[in-house]
Every structure is written in C-alpha cells, then in structure tokens.
Amino acid sequence: MQDLLLESPGFPEFLLGLATISASLLGSDGTVTCTITVERDGGAATVARGPPLG
C-alpha cells in the first residue's frame, strides 16, 4: 500500500510541499529544513526534503 501511495502521480510533489511549508513555519529565518523519511524494503529512504539550507 505504501509503495502505491509513494508512486502515485503528484504525491512526491505533495510531500515536498509539506516539508517546505513545515520548515517555513518552524524556522521563518531560513535556518530549518524538514525531511520526510519512510521505511521501504527494510531500510529508510528520504522521499522529500525542503527547502535546502541557505
């Protein structure tokens, strides 16, 4: 089920948006980045990260 969700059209963009909005709410001065990590095939995989630290 998780693989279907992660591979569905538009879902990676949704996760990127979620990470970006979360980072902006937590660190309005740009010092925070957020990642979304899931467990796939017995290992961790980061599926979204945003925004990059500047």
Side-chain angles (χ1 to χ4, degrees):
M1 180 73 149
Q2 177 180 311
D3 286 334
L4 287 175
L5 187 58
L6 289 172
E7 294 170 7
S8 65
F11 194 65
E13 291 82 9
F14 166 76
L15 293 177
L16 176 59
L18 178 62
T20 301
I21 289 170
S22 298
S24 69
L25 291 173
L26 294 171
S28 60
D29 61 356
T31 59
V32 174
T33 188
C34 291
T35 61
I36 299 175
T37 304
V38 297
E39 183 180 337
R40 294 180 83 177
D41 302 323
T46 298
V47 295
R49 180 180 67 89
L53 291 175

